[in-house]
Amino acid sequence: MLQGKKLITRANYRPVCRDLRDFMAEKNTIGGDLDDLERQHDVQQEISTSLIDENIILNPRFEEGLNGWSGRGCKILLHDSMGDGKVLPQIGKHFASTTGRTQTWNGIQQEITGRVQRKLAYEIEAVVRIFGTVSASSVQATLWVQRPNGREQYIVIARVEATDKDWVQLKGKFLLNSAASKAVIYVEGPLPGIDILLNSLIVKHAQKLPPSPPPDIENVLYGVNILTNSNLTDGLNGWSPLGPCALSIAEGAPRILAPMAVDSLSSHKPSNGRYIVVTNRSQTWMGPSQTITDKLKLLVTYQVSAWVRVSSVKNGPQNINVALGVDSQFVNGGQVEALDDRWYEIGGSFRIEKQPSKVIVYVQGPMPGVDLMVAQLQIFPVDRRARFKYLKKKTDEVRKREVVLKISGCNVDNFSAPYVKVTQVKNSFPIGACINRSDIDNENLAEFFKNNFSWGVFGNELKWYWTEPQQGIFNYTDADELLDFFNKNGVQGRGHCIFWEVESAVQPWLQALNKNSLTLAVQNRLTGLLTRYKGKFKHYDVNNEMLHGSFYQDRLGKDIRANMFKISSQLDPSPLLFVNDYHVEDGTDTRASPEKYIKQIIELQDQGAQVGGIGVQGHIDCPIGPIVCSALDKLGVLGLPVWFTEIDVSSANEYVRADDLEAMLREIYAHPAVEGIMLWGFWELLMSRENGYLVNAEGDVNEAGRRFLALKQEWLSHAYGCVNEDGEFVFRGFHGSYNVEVVALGKKIAHTFVVEKGEYPLVVEISI
C-alpha cells in the first residue's frame, strides 16, 4: 500500500466499556442579607448555575501545594521546574510529578466523591507531559468508581500521546450512570519508570453544544462526475502522475458503466473504452492523480467508481486502491484485490467535513514494477432522497403483505357498511441495540432502550476477556444481570461473542498458553458458557472477525474454527450460530470482500460447521446504497439469514449523521436477505464511535435519533375505511401485530391478528 502514508482502516471495534460519570452535588447556601427579594431570587439562580459549571477538582493548579492530591501506587512531588530548569509549568507556578512508578496504572489522583453526580456529562481538560524517556507515551485519564454494592468500575475518559518536549492537553468527556460510594479520578498510562507530570486538571459540567446546522446542499449536481476528462477524450488533460511514473492512454477497457455506479449516475452513456496505463512504478503509491480541491462541497457524500486492472499477479494478488490525499490525511475511497489480469470494479465513498487546503485523488496499491490500468474513474455526489424513493417501493414489496379482513354477520349496503380501523402495534422485524451492564443503571437510557428495541446484544459482558479476565477467575455477574434485564422487558438476546479471533482481543493469560493448554481452555470456555446459558440466547457469534484475525487457527490448526461451531451446536442446539465481521458491505477492505466472506462460510460448512447466519457488522463511513446492496446481493446467494449486527455511523454534524443512518437502515430493511438490525449503541459517551450517538449524554434526542424514531413509525401500517360490497376490507401492511376495530350494527368489535411473511394474501375472518 501507500509508502509514507498511513492507510486508515477500522481495526477492532472493541468497545471500551466507557462507563459513566456523575456530577457534583454540593449545595451551597446563599450568604448575606438582600433587601430586594427579586434580586435574591436572581442571585440564587446565578449561584445554582455556577455550582454546576464550576470545577469540581480541588487545588487544580497546585497553588496550595499537593493539598487534595496523592499518588496512586507511587509517590508524587511538587515542582516549580525540572531537568535543570528545562521543564517549567505552562500554567501557574507549580506542577506535580510521579516518582517510583512500577505499574502502568500508577499516577496522580484525587478523590471526587460527593462532587460528581450521576447522569450528568462532564468534560475534563488537563495539561500533561512525561519525563524519563525521549519516546512518546500514552497518558490517560481514568475514573475509578466504587458502587454502593462494593463493585468497581473503571471509566477511560481520555488519552493523549505525550512527550518530554512539551506540555500537551488531555481532553475528554465522561458520564456516570450509577451512584458512587467512592470516586477517584487519576492520570496513568506510561510504562513503569516513566514519570507523569501534571500541571493542571479541570473537570466541569460539559457544556451542551448547539444543534448542528443542516448542510448546505444548494447547487449540488447529483450524479455528475466532478473529475476532468474521465473518458480521456482530451488525451491526458487534467491527469498527472503521482511520483516519477509514466502515464499513457490505451484502448480496450470495459465500455459498460460500473454496475455499482449505474443507479447513482445522472448520465448513462457508455464509455469509449479508453484507459490510463501507469508504467515505471517504483513505489506502491504511484499512479494517476488529479487535484479536486475546488470541486468538492463540504458535508456532501461522494461516490467513487472505477474499472481497474494490473499487468501481472505473478507475485500474488495485487491490491488496488482509490485514495484521496486531504491535506496530510489519507482517505480510503474504495479498494479491490486483483487475483488475475481481468478488469475489476472499485466502488467506494467519502465525505469532507472540514475545509481542506488541498485534495488530490489518485489510484495506487499494486507492487512496484506492476503496471496499473485505470478506466472510467468517476467521483460524483449522491442523491440520497432519490434512492430513498426507490427503497420505499422496494420495502413495500419485501416487508409488506396483502391482508383481507372478511367481515361476516351483517348485511352490507351503502347506508350501513361496517367501518374498519386497523392499527399496527408492533413491527415484527427485529431492531436491536448494544448495551452494557452499567448502562441500565441510568433510568433514562434503560427506558429508551426498552421503548425502542426488541433485541439486545452485550457490548462486552459475554466476551471471554470479560467473563474470565484471569485464568480460573470468572465474572458472569454482569452478563447475568443484563440477561435478567432482557428477560423482564421481553428483549431477545444475541450472544456476542464466544471467541474473538483477533489477537489483540485475546487476554494475556490465553496468549501465554501452549497448544495443549489452549485446546483445553477453548473446550472449557465452550462448556462453561453454553451450558450456563443454554436456551437463553437466540444467536451466538461463534468466533468474531475471522476475516481479520487468526489467533486460534494459527495455534490450534485450521479445523479449530469448524470445531467451535460443531461443539457449540452440540452443547446448545437452539441458537443460530453466526460468523461476524466488518467492512464486508462498504468496499474499503480487501480482506473482507463479500467473495472472501462467502468462501470462508462455504469452507466452514464443508468442514461440518453449522453456520446458521451471516453477521455483517456495519461500522460504516458515508454509506452508499448501491454498494451496500451489491454486497448483500452476493451474500444472499448462500440462502442464510443476514443480520447487521453492529451498525454505527459517525459525523459531527447530526443532520449528516441522520442521513447516513437513514441510508443504512432503509437499504437494509429493503433487502430480502436481511432478517435483523442491531445498532452498536445509541447514547452519547457510551459508544465506541465518538460522533455516532442518537441521544445526547443527558437524554436529549438529536436529529439522528429523531430520524430513527420516524423510520420506526413509518414502518407501522395503519388503515381505515368501510368494507366493500363483498364484505371485505383490503389493505397492504408490514409484517407484525395488529389491532382492528369494526363498528357495525351499533356494536364495536375488537380483534387482533398477526401478519407474517407470505406470498399470498392473508385472510382474517371477523364475525360481527
Side-chain angles (χ1 to χ4, degrees), residues 479-514:
D480 290 346
E481 292 179 356
L482 262 179
L483 193 58
D484 182 60
F485 172 77
F486 282 12
N487 292 335
K488 287 179 179 177
N489 293 286
V491 175
Q492 304 287 352
R494 296 194 79 252
H496 177 76
C497 50
I498 304 175
F499 300 101
W500 197 342
E501 189 75 319
V502 177
E503 185 165 352
S504 60
V506 178
Q507 55 270 53
W509 70 263
L510 268 174
Q511 294 187 31
L513 298 179
N514 60 34

Side-chain angles (χ1 to χ4, degrees), residues 311-331:
S311 62
S312 172
V313 291
K314 63 182 180 181
N315 292 320
Q318 300 294 311
N319 184 41
I320 308 172
N321 172 228
V322 177
L324 290 101
V326 183
D327 294 333
S328 60
Q329 183 183 8
F330 167 83
V331 174

Side-chain angles (χ1 to χ4, degrees), residues 175-200:
L175 176 74
L176 186 63
N177 286 319
S178 57
S181 60
K182 191 172 183 179
V184 176
I185 193 168
Y186 61 100
V187 181
E188 58 165 333
L191 292 173
I194 299 174
D195 292 341
I196 302 170
L197 311 187
L198 178 64
N199 185 204
S200 172

Side-chain angles (χ1 to χ4, degrees), residues 213-217 222 298-301 351 353 382-385 387-388 391 620-625 649-651 653-667 694 702-708 711:
D216 177 13
I217 55 174
Y222 292 113
L298 293 183
L299 299 176
V300 170
T301 301
R351 181 172 53 238
E353 300 204 0
V382 176
D383 185 355
R384 284 173 161 171
R385 299 299 154 189
R387 181 74 179 179
F388 292 169
L391 291 172
I620 194 167
D621 299 311
C622 317
I624 298 294
V649 296
S650 179
S651 174
N653 185 295
E654 64 187 60
Y655 286 90
V656 175
R657 189 188 318 159
D659 286 345
D660 281 353
L661 182 63
E662 183 175 357
M664 278 297 284
L665 295 181
R666 286 195 184 277
E667 203 69 45
L694 315 186
N702 61 28
E703 179 61 25
R706 288 189 289 272
R707 198 80 60 86
F708 169 72
L711 280 175

Side-chain angles (χ1 to χ4, degrees), residues 64-297:
E64 301 174 24
L66 295 176
N67 181 41
W69 297 95
S70 62
R72 188 173 184 85
C74 60
K75 294 181 179 180
I76 59 172
L77 303 172
L78 185 70
H79 303 270
D80 54 18
S81 69
M82 284 181 69
D84 298 325
K86 295 179 181 178
V87 179
L88 299 171
Q90 185 182 83
I91 299 172
K93 298 180 179 180
H94 298 95
F95 60 90
S97 75
T98 62
T99 183
R101 293 181 67 249
T102 60
Q103 304 289 334
T104 58
W105 52 266
N106 296 156
I108 305 172
Q109 66 179 6
Q110 183 170 134
E111 183 175 344
I112 56 173
T113 308
R115 285 179 272 142
V116 60
Q117 291 183 0
R118 61 188 293 260
K119 300 198 295 184
L120 288 181
Y122 289 82
E123 56 190 7
I124 174 176
E125 185 171 327
V127 178
V128 299
R129 67 190 291 172
I130 57 174
F131 190 81
T133 179
V134 296
S135 302
S137 186
S138 179
V139 175
Q140 173 176 304
T142 304
L143 180 68
W144 173 81
V145 176
Q146 186 176 59
R147 301 175 189 171
N149 61 7
R151 293 172 66 183
E152 298 178 335
Q153 182 180 10
Y154 292 87
I155 301 165
V156 177
I157 303 171
R159 290 190 183 98
V160 70
E161 286 296 305
T163 70
D164 68 342
K165 302 298 182 186
D166 298 294
W167 294 98
V168 293
Q169 285 194 324
L170 176 66
K171 291 185 175 183
K173 292 183 179 181
F174 67 89
L175 176 74
L176 186 63
N177 286 319
S178 57
S181 60
K182 191 172 183 179
V184 176
I185 193 168
Y186 61 100
V187 181
E188 58 165 333
L191 292 173
I194 299 174
D195 292 341
I196 302 170
L197 311 187
L198 178 64
N199 185 204
S200 172
L201 178 63
I202 307 291
V203 178
K204 293 183 177 181
H205 181 227
Q207 293 185 347
K208 289 187 178 181
L209 299 176
S212 307
D216 177 13
I217 55 174
E218 296 293 326
N219 304 316
V220 174
L221 298 177
Y222 292 113
V224 176
N225 183 22
I226 66 170
L227 295 182
T228 300
N229 191 26
S230 279
N231 271 336
L232 307 173
T233 53
D234 189 18
L236 287 169
N237 180 43
W239 296 97
S240 302
L242 186 63
C245 55
L247 306 185
S248 60
I249 296 177
E251 302 218 7
R255 292 180 177 271
I256 64 169
L257 297 174
M260 286 186 284
V262 170
D263 290 342
S264 304
L265 288 168
S266 59
S267 173
H268 293 161
K269 293 181 180 179
S271 168
N272 58 19
R274 294 177 185 171
Y275 62 95
I276 297 175
V277 183
V278 190
T279 55
N280 300 328
R281 298 180 62 256
S282 59
Q283 301 290 338
T284 59
W285 49 264
M286 291 183 179
S289 69
Q290 192 168 131
T291 300
I292 57 173
T293 315
D294 299 332
K295 299 179 181 180
L296 296 172
K297 197 170 181 66

